[in-house]
Amino acid sequence: MQRNVIEIENLSKAFKTVQAVDNLSFKVKEGELFAFLGVNGAGKSTTIHVLCGSLKKDSGTVKVYDKDSADKTVLNRMGVVFQNSVLDKSLTVKDNLVFRGALYGLFGEEIEKRITHLASLLDFSDLLNRTVGKLSGGQRRRVDIARALLHKPGILILDEPTTGLDPQTRKLLWDVLANLRKQENLTVFLTTHYMEEAAEADYIVILDAGKIAAEGTPLSLKNAHTGDSVSLYGVSEGEVTSLGAPYEKIAGGYRVSLPNTGEATQLILQHPEVFRDYEITKGNMDDVFLAVTGKRLTGGKEQ
């Protein structure tokens, strides 16, 4: 059974009259990809700063590996990649990593091996002697993640790590993280505006105005908060109307909206003559987020 590596209970934090986090409770299991979702201002960053010990909580408990999150031994077991790069632009990539490694007691051959390994893993071996200020956004992000992984943390916190990155770089980062989770049982705590990334998570918490609006696996959330749609092709509108369900016209056919897969299956069994060419699509995480919060969250923007 997976143990809990993060346990947050009744966490609250206010800034003057603004209640950023309001009685928040959740747990993260070891080796899990945990997605923490919410629009800007929902309380995600505040929670992360408390989790990392850089912000004091007003009340509640925040434990990492059964210790208070402010404990220095706990901090050494976490790696953090913030939204904005913390690399020194005037130094080379290698110097940034060497200086960071020294903070964790990594020197000489040990840090050299670790940098070589991570540079190969994240595909920036040819950039080690380049000044960080001359890197592209994608290159800098790869180095940011290497910096957070230098000391082999058990938990990696990623605060919107792929916003603005090209698809190739995003795929590289997720492939690397998938391998690390498999090989080293790395726990990944993720905030993201990309719902396709959240859909790959083991567990999701959706935050709204500092409170949990919904939580569960991607499948359970989709089953609870979205319906299914059936796209029908090669049929007449009269045939679709006979099904007695809401529908809309799409390219080459019609899309019928249904509450769940069970009702879709029942309709197919009742009207096999209409379902000659069709496909069933389950609601996605964008639909879940909209249903739960009343807002859309796509590609770094809320609506």
Side-chain angles (χ1 to χ4, degrees):
M1 185 176 178
Q2 291 173 299
R3 63 169 174 162
N4 295 322
V5 292
I6 297 175
E7 295 180 276
I8 293 180
E9 293 184 9
N10 308 121
L11 174 65
S12 291
K13 177 65 182 178
F15 298 96
K16 295 183 178 179
T17 59
V18 177
Q19 190 70 44
V21 178
D22 190 0
N23 201 35
L24 189 63
S25 298
F26 63 83
K27 298 174 182 178
V28 181
K29 295 185 181 300
E30 188 170 35
E32 197 170 52
L33 172 54
F34 179 94
F36 197 48
L37 309 180
V39 298
N40 294 334
K44 306 188 305 297
S45 293
T46 299
T47 304
I48 288 175
H49 281 291
V50 172
L51 184 59
C52 296
S54 59
L55 188 65
K56 289 185 177 181
K57 60 185 179 292
D58 292 339
S59 59
T61 59
V62 180
K63 291 186 177 181
V64 180
Y65 295 110
D66 297 320
K67 294 183 179 180
D68 189 275
S69 61
D71 189 303
K72 289 185 179 180
T73 62
V74 164
L75 297 179
N76 287 340
R77 300 182 70 179
M78 292 192 290
V80 187
V81 179
F82 291 108
Q83 291 180 40
N84 298 316
S85 177
V86 293
L87 298 170
D88 189 324
K89 294 181 181 180
S90 64
L91 298 178
T92 65
V93 169
K94 185 174 182 179
D95 284 343
N96 265 279
L97 297 178
V98 167
F99 292 151
R100 182 63 178 177
L103 296 176
Y104 294 102
L106 303 175
F107 300 97
E109 187 176 349
E110 185 178 12
I111 189 62
E112 289 286 342
K113 284 184 177 180
R114 186 62 175 162
I115 289 173
T116 299
H117 172 68
L118 290 171
S120 174
L121 199 64
L122 289 157
D123 193 25
F124 64 84
S125 299
D126 57 334
L127 303 175
L128 287 172
N129 295 315
R130 186 177 298 183
T131 304
V132 167
K134 295 181 180 178
L135 300 182
S136 68
Q139 292 169 336
R140 194 175 301 157
R141 183 52 85 196
R142 280 180 270 156
V143 179
D144 275 320
I145 291 176
R147 178 182 181 274
L149 292 170
L150 277 175
H151 58 301
K152 298 183 180 179
I155 300 170
L156 180 64
I157 297 174
L158 301 173
D159 194 3
E160 297 180 29
T162 59
T163 298
L165 299 187
D166 62 90
Q168 184 178 352
T169 302
R170 287 174 65 192
K171 183 179 185 307
L172 169 66
L173 295 183
W174 283 113
D175 286 347
V176 168
L177 292 172
N179 287 332
L180 288 173
R181 289 182 61 219
K182 187 183 300 182
Q183 296 167 7
E184 301 180 9
N185 206 25
L186 178 71
T187 303
V188 178
F189 185 107
L190 168 75
T191 78
T192 182
H193 282 98
Y194 293 106
M195 291 297 101
E196 67 269 28
E197 294 179 348
E200 298 299 316
D202 297 300
Y203 199 81
I204 296 171
V205 164
I206 298 177
L207 209 60
D208 191 26
K211 295 182 178 181
I212 292 179
E215 63 179 307
T217 65
L219 179 59
S220 69
L221 287 171
K222 284 186 276 191
N223 284 339
H225 300 286
T226 70
D228 287 12
S229 63
V230 182
S231 297
L232 289 161
Y233 304 102
V235 295
S236 68
E237 187 166 3
E239 288 177 302
V240 177
T241 302
S242 71
L243 298 175
Y247 69 89
E248 61 181 320
K249 187 170 179 56
I250 59 174
Y254 298 88
R255 181 183 293 118
V256 180
S257 298
L258 296 161
N260 52 58
T261 305
E263 292 206 18
T265 302
Q266 188 175 13
L267 203 61
I268 293 168
L269 293 174
Q270 291 173 346
H271 302 274
E273 73 284 356
V274 178
F275 291 86
R276 299 183 292 271
D277 184 7
Y278 68 92
E279 59 183 356
I280 300 177
T281 305
K282 188 173 288 293
N284 57 35
M285 285 307 302
D286 279 311
D287 298 326
V288 170
F289 195 90
L290 178 61
V292 169
T293 68
K295 310 176 185 86
R296 286 198 178 275
L297 184 63
T298 306
K301 295 179 181 179
E302 69 233 34
Q303 298 177 356

